Amino acid sequence: MGKIQNNILLVEDEAIIALNQQKQLEKRGYLVTHAINGKKAVEIAKSPKHEIDLILMDINLGKGIDGTQAAERIQEFKEIPVVFLSSHTEPEVVEKIETITSYGYVVKNSGITVLDASIKMAFKLFDAHKDILKHKSDAENANSALESTVKNLETVNLSLTRLKKAIENTNEIVFITNREGIITYINPQFIKTYGYSKEEALGKIGPRDLGAEETPDEVDRIFWETLQNKQHLAANYINKTKSGKIITVEASIDPIFDNNGNLKEFVQIQRDITEKIQIERVLNENEEIFRGIFEQSTIGIYRSTPEGKILLANPSIISMLGYKNFEEIEKWDLNSTDFKPSYKRTEFLEKMEKENKITGLESEWIKEDGSKLYVRESAVAFRDEEGKIIYYQGMIEDISTKKQIELELIHKGEESKNYLDAIDSLDLGLFIVNLDYTVRYMNNTMVKWFGNQTGLICYKSVAGLEEPCPYCKLKEVLKEGKNVTYTPTTSDGRTFNIHGSLLQNSDGTVSKLEIIQDITELKSTHKHVETLLQEKEIILKEVHHRIKNNMMTIMGLLTFQEQSITDEKSIEAFENTRNRVQSMMVLYDKLYRSNDYQIIGIKEYFETLFKEIIAGFPWKEIISLNCDIEDIQMEPKIVFNLGIIINELITNSMKYAVDGNNENILSISASLSDNFVTLIVKDNGRGFPDKTIQKSSGGFGLELVNILSEQISADISFSNENGAKVMLRFRI
């Protein structure tokens, strides 16, 4: 028999839960060591003083490493079964332990019987796992010798298999014919292309049967002479499939001879190029279409080389520059002084090499008469198979009118220029419309939203309507001089904030200036957030209501049960439990009424709790209360532990310190200094026994106080100073 496995490391950060589990396990004969966090668990597992057979691990261990991380660190240096013990059943929590070698997952409150059975099963699984590893090692050694033999056999067949796979899986048509021209082998691609099955093709048809037209005698003679001379033959053929479909194939034919030089058979590899030929035909047609667009487009189109040579330039770009025909600019060297844009040509070349394109480059060109031409340029680089740029193809848009308007605004002062820059940076549209509804100017944002509609009727080109937009305020602005603000929604569901005002142009005319903001997404997001907040508030109120009712139900059940008990110790136990639940209810009520659930002030909570504990005792009238509590802000979890500690200490004083013949004083104080909280609970009774001061003895209540103090990392001391005094000191 193996050694008895009964040493268990219990890792649980909730002290009360850990104490309960420890006592139940010890009743089942287990020796239990408790670790309050993951770090402590790793230290105990490493220590030679502790012989641990199994770990019961909680997943959520509060601050520091969690249960899964602690288990991983322990298993790095020690092979030991781990059973996870948690109150969580959510899939994402369970998935966290899937990468860790574990031997069970037990939900808290399943009962000691289930937990005991899970522990025993984990021991059995762990022993079985070790046996499997041993058998696996033996099997691997035996398989190694067998694999070596198999590998040698596979090497022999590998070349033939590769060749067969290549032929069977290629997209090329492969078939073999005998000397008489009858097919003796076809691959799957032959069947797929020509539509003949093996039964229909093998030994029954030949290449002539696949031809769509009669082969001339002269071509046939050259074909056979070439092959008889052991030469490779390549040609294109027009063939037909079984269904009668005409296809064009690119064929490669080789003769096969035996060792005596006798012709045995022919291997033919074909590629269906029907689609390729069709694409070439479409490309030729598209070239004609492109030529029509090239000649007639109002947008300038060019093609040039990195060396600076102009290959193409359509009539629009020639006209923009003030020339009459292509011959006048054909011999330009764009990399020299023939071409004078406002940007450096070297920068253009570097950007095209790096990014392969340029989009929306605005610059100044010089026209034939020396005047300036403002353009917006976009270009793409075309490369050869080696990745070298062979030419640029670009489009030129004349934006001289747009630039003129911008300059008019800029001439109004630097403030106007800053205004334009700010509008562009804020993704705001700038839109100028004349009295006849023609678009005078659109900034980059408007062009991005609606395309460049400069010079066109706004309600037709932008809104797609036959009459002015129903929400338009053009006449109010231009005829009455009003500043207007409105928020229309377009037919496609987009919502805009529009601010319109009167603009005096430099030529004496007036226009309507609009600053436009697209608020479609903002409006939708705002509505969605409002809905979510309303739903969250309703759910939270319902949860608070149910929790409070449940806690009141627990208090009622405890009171009802207490009334049916006559044993004094049992009555005392029920009273203590009811007081502990009462402290939780006071804290919850405080949280429920607070606007912040993450932090809570202790002053009101401690004072209320102090009074309600004392109110439960019949001799409350002879007690004097002294409270000196700063309103320190703490996490609810810490305040919860302190509430139970205060309940135990006040209850202890009410039981053992109250004397009907003397003045009875209970004091509680709490202060904060250098991030350390000092909590003192004191009475003027007969004090603690010496064993309590030395922490070597005490009832369940004081044991609970010690455990909860450890959980919040507090130093606790018991002393007698004209009565019992308990002081806790901890960092927040």
Side-chain angles (χ1 to χ4, degrees):
M1 291 181 62
K3 75 180 188 68
I4 297 175
Q5 298 173 316
N6 65 349
N7 294 294
I8 293 178
L9 174 59
L10 174 62
V11 187
E12 169 62 65
D13 68 322
E14 294 290 347
I16 297 175
I17 295 173
L19 181 64
N20 180 46
Q21 290 173 342
Q22 181 174 353
K23 291 183 180 298
Q24 292 186 61
L25 289 169
E26 287 174 346
K27 288 181 181 180
R28 293 278 174 151
Y30 294 105
L31 300 177
V32 181
T33 302
H34 174 225
I36 199 165
N37 54 46
K39 180 181 178 182
K40 188 69 175 177
V42 175
E43 292 175 355
I44 293 174
K46 279 186 177 180
S47 172
K49 296 180 181 180
H50 297 278
E51 185 175 354
I52 305 299
D53 299 316
L54 181 140
I55 300 174
L56 279 176
M57 181 75 73
D58 188 9
I59 293 178
N60 187 355
L61 296 175
K63 295 181 179 179
I65 61 175
D66 62 21
T68 57
Q69 293 170 321
E72 286 177 338
R73 294 188 186 181
I74 292 172
Q75 290 181 346
E76 287 176 359
F77 60 83
K78 189 170 188 177
E79 187 175 5
I80 187 169
V82 177
V83 175
F84 285 98
L85 185 64
S86 176
S87 60
H88 294 281
T89 58
E90 299 89 347
E92 60 269 19
V93 177
V94 178
E95 286 173 3
K96 287 179 66 177
I97 69 170
E98 289 183 354
T99 58
I100 303 170
T101 303
S102 66
Y103 291 82
Y105 188 97
V106 181
V107 178
K108 289 182 180 179
N109 300 324
S110 296
I112 186 61
T113 302
V114 173
L115 182 59
D116 185 31
S118 298
I119 292 171
K120 292 175 179 176
M121 179 57 70
F123 281 131
K124 291 179 181 179
L125 291 173
F126 183 65
D127 292 339
H129 174 67
K130 291 193 289 186
D131 291 340
I132 289 171
L133 290 179
K134 183 178 183 304
H135 291 315
K136 181 179 178 181
S137 177
D138 295 340
E140 286 176 349
N141 293 334
N143 287 336
S144 178
L146 179 61
E147 287 175 358
S148 178
T149 303
V150 172
K151 189 173 182 180
N152 292 333
L153 293 174
E154 289 176 346
T155 303
V156 174
N157 294 320
L158 184 58
S159 296
L160 291 176
T161 301
R162 285 175 177 171
L163 180 59
K164 181 180 179 182
K165 287 288 185 183
I167 295 173
E168 294 292 326
N169 295 309
T170 182
N171 291 327
E172 311 291 322
I173 302 163
V174 180
F175 62 93
I176 300 174
T177 63
N178 59 22
R179 291 178 56 186
E180 290 72 33
I182 301 301
I183 294 175
T184 58
Y185 168 82
I186 58 175
N187 76 335
Q189 189 61 36
F190 180 98
I191 299 171
K192 181 178 179 181
T193 302
Y194 284 105
Y196 292 99
S197 66
K198 287 185 177 181
E199 292 75 13
E200 293 171 326
L202 299 182
K204 296 178 181 178
I205 63 174
R208 288 187 178 87
D209 299 308
L210 302 176
E213 53 191 25
E214 196 70 32
T215 305
D217 292 340
E218 181 63 18
V219 174
D220 194 51
R221 184 186 64 78
I222 295 173
F223 175 85
W224 285 106
E225 283 184 0
T226 302
L227 294 177
Q228 289 288 353
N229 291 331
K230 301 183 180 181
Q231 294 179 2
H232 168 78
L233 182 65
N236 291 349
Y237 296 101
I238 299 175
N239 288 348
K240 63 181 178 181
T241 66
K242 178 183 175 182
S243 65
K245 178 184 176 182
I246 303 301
I247 62 173
T248 303
V249 296
E250 186 179 72
S252 174
I253 310 169
D254 288 285
I256 306 297
F257 297 86
D258 63 17
N259 293 334
N260 297 321
N262 299 316
L263 179 64
K264 299 294 293 181
E265 56 190 9
F266 305 98
V267 175
Q268 187 167 161
I269 301 174
Q270 296 181 351
R271 178 184 295 115
D272 185 353
I273 60 172
T274 308
E275 185 176 352
K276 175 185 175 184
I277 292 174
Q278 291 172 346
I279 291 173
E280 289 175 350
R281 185 182 302 115
V282 171
L283 288 175
N284 290 333
E285 293 172 354
N286 288 341
E287 179 66 23
E288 294 178 6
I289 295 172
F290 169 76
R291 177 58 61 180
I293 296 173
F294 179 81
E295 296 292 339
Q296 299 174 27
S297 175
T298 58
I299 298 292
I301 302 173
Y302 72 84
R303 183 179 293 175
S304 65
T305 68
E307 293 75 29
K309 181 176 176 57
I310 301 175
L311 301 177
L312 294 173
N314 74 336
S316 288
I317 197 171
I318 294 170
S319 176
M320 287 179 195
L321 289 167
Y323 293 94
K324 296 179 180 179
N325 54 61
F326 177 64
E327 287 71 22
E328 293 184 77
I329 64 171
E330 182 180 12
K331 298 188 182 302
W332 276 11
D333 181 358
L334 299 179
N335 296 339
S336 71
T337 56
D338 292 337
F339 177 58
K340 301 176 182 178
S342 58
Y343 58 77
K344 292 182 179 179
R345 178 69 177 175
T346 53
E347 294 177 356
F348 176 92
L349 298 175
E350 289 172 0
K351 188 174 181 66
M352 293 298 286
E353 181 64 38
K354 183 178 180 181
E355 301 180 13
N356 218 51
K357 66 178 181 179
I358 284 177
T359 304
L361 173 63
E362 295 188 2
S363 62
E364 296 177 10
W365 290 9
I366 304 300
K367 299 173 67 172
E368 190 271 341
D369 61 4
S371 61
K372 293 180 180 180
L373 171 69
Y374 294 96
V375 299
R376 180 186 288 116
E377 180 179 5
S378 297
V380 177
F382 288 82
R383 301 175 183 266
D384 60 19
E385 294 180 353
E386 297 178 356
K388 182 180 178 182
I389 296 177
I390 52 178
Y391 65 84
Y392 310 122
Q393 186 147 308
M395 295 189 299
I396 300 298
E397 179 187 356
D398 185 351
I399 60 169
S400 298
T401 303
K402 172 180 178 293
K403 277 294 179 182
Q404 181 183 354
I405 294 172
E406 287 182 353
L407 290 173
E408 288 177 0
L409 291 174
I410 291 172
H411 289 160
K412 293 180 181 293
E414 187 63 28
E415 183 178 351
S416 297
K417 182 178 182 302
N418 294 337
Y419 185 57
L420 283 173
D421 292 341
I423 289 173
D424 274 337
S425 67
L426 294 173
D427 201 24
L428 296 175
L430 181 61
F431 195 49
I432 301 177
V433 185
N434 296 325
L435 182 59
D436 61 357
Y437 294 98
T438 56
V439 178
R440 184 178 179 87
Y441 171 77
M442 300 175 75
N443 74 336
N444 292 333
T445 302
M446 287 295 292
V447 172
K448 180 176 68 176
W449 288 344
F450 301 104
N452 190 358
Q453 309 297 334
T454 304
L456 303 178
I457 302 299
C458 63
Y459 58 81
K460 291 183 177 180
S461 60
V462 176
L465 301 175
E466 293 300 321
E467 296 179 354
C469 303
Y471 47 78
C472 182
K473 308 288 185 181
L474 179 70
K475 293 183 178 180
E476 292 181 35
V477 173
L478 297 186
K479 293 186 176 181
E480 301 176 23
K482 291 182 177 180
N483 291 332
V484 295
T485 300
Y486 51 105
T487 308
T489 299
T490 61
S491 58
D492 60 357
R494 297 166 70 185
T495 303
F496 296 92
N497 251 345
I498 301 178
H499 301 272
S501 59
L502 184 68
L503 176 67
Q504 294 285 348
N505 299 315
S506 59
D507 59 4
T509 61
V510 292
S511 300
K512 178 189 176 187
L513 171 65
E514 292 183 349
I515 304 295
I516 303 174
Q517 180 185 16
D518 187 345
I519 61 170
T520 307
E521 185 175 349
L522 179 65
K523 185 177 179 182
S524 176
T525 302
H526 181 70
K527 185 176 180 181
H528 181 62
V529 169
E530 283 185 343
T531 302
L532 290 178
L533 289 174
Q534 290 173 359
E535 292 176 355
K536 179 181 177 182
E537 188 67 24
I538 292 171
I539 293 171
L540 194 58
K541 286 182 178 179
E542 178 63 20
V543 170
H544 285 322
H545 177 71
R546 294 192 180 190
I547 291 175
K548 192 170 183 180
N549 282 352
N550 289 340
M551 296 182 77
M552 292 179 67
T553 300
I554 292 171
M555 287 287 291
L557 289 172
L558 290 171
T559 302
F560 181 73
Q561 186 66 40
E562 180 185 342
Q563 292 172 353
S564 64
I565 296 174
T566 57
D567 180 67
E568 292 185 358
K569 289 187 176 181
S570 298
I571 292 173
E572 182 182 355
F574 269 93
E575 287 178 347
N576 291 340
T577 302
R578 192 172 67 247
N579 289 338
R580 291 164 187 145
V581 174
Q582 178 66 28
S583 71
M584 299 178 198
M585 284 186 64
V586 173
L587 174 60
Y588 179 75
D589 188 67
K590 173 69 174 171
L591 285 172
Y592 174 61
R593 300 176 188 279
S594 173
N595 292 325
D596 187 355
Y597 300 107
Q598 304 298 321
I599 207 78
I600 185 172
I602 66 170
K603 179 177 177 63
E604 182 182 352
Y605 169 56
F606 282 0
E607 290 176 350
T608 302
L609 179 62
F610 197 7
K611 294 173 182 177
E612 292 198 10
I613 294 171
I614 293 174
F617 289 89
W619 48 88
K620 58 181 177 294
E621 302 297 337
I622 62 172
I623 305 298
S624 295
L625 305 179
N626 291 334
C627 293
D628 183 14
I629 301 170
E630 294 181 15
D631 197 18
I632 306 167
Q633 305 296 309
M634 299 185 193
E635 296 177 6
K637 184 175 181 179
I638 297 176
V639 177
F640 169 77
N641 286 345
L642 292 175
I644 296 178
I645 291 172
I646 290 172
N647 177 76
E648 299 301 326
L649 296 176
I650 297 301
T651 300
N652 191 69
S653 294
M654 292 297 292
K655 288 180 179 179
Y656 304 113
V658 175
D659 184 350
N661 298 321
N662 296 314
E663 181 183 7
N664 298 284
I665 302 173
L666 286 179
S667 302
I668 180 170
S669 65
S671 59
L672 176 65
S673 177
D674 296 330
N675 293 327
F676 277 92
V677 176
T678 302
L679 174 67
I680 299 174
V681 179
K682 187 178 184 306
D683 63 46
N684 64 339
R686 59 177 178 267
F688 291 116
D690 291 340
K691 290 183 178 181
T692 299
I693 295 174
Q694 297 170 5
K695 298 185 182 179
S696 61
S697 178
F700 175 76
L702 292 181
E703 183 180 1
L704 186 59
V705 169
N706 282 316
I707 291 172
L708 294 175
S709 300
E710 181 182 359
Q711 187 167 328
I712 63 173
S713 301
D715 294 328
I716 185 169
S717 63
F718 299 87
S719 62
N720 289 326
E721 297 180 16
N722 297 322
K725 177 182 178 182
V726 180
M727 183 171 69
L728 284 86
R729 191 169 186 270
F730 57 94
R731 179 187 289 273
I732 61 170

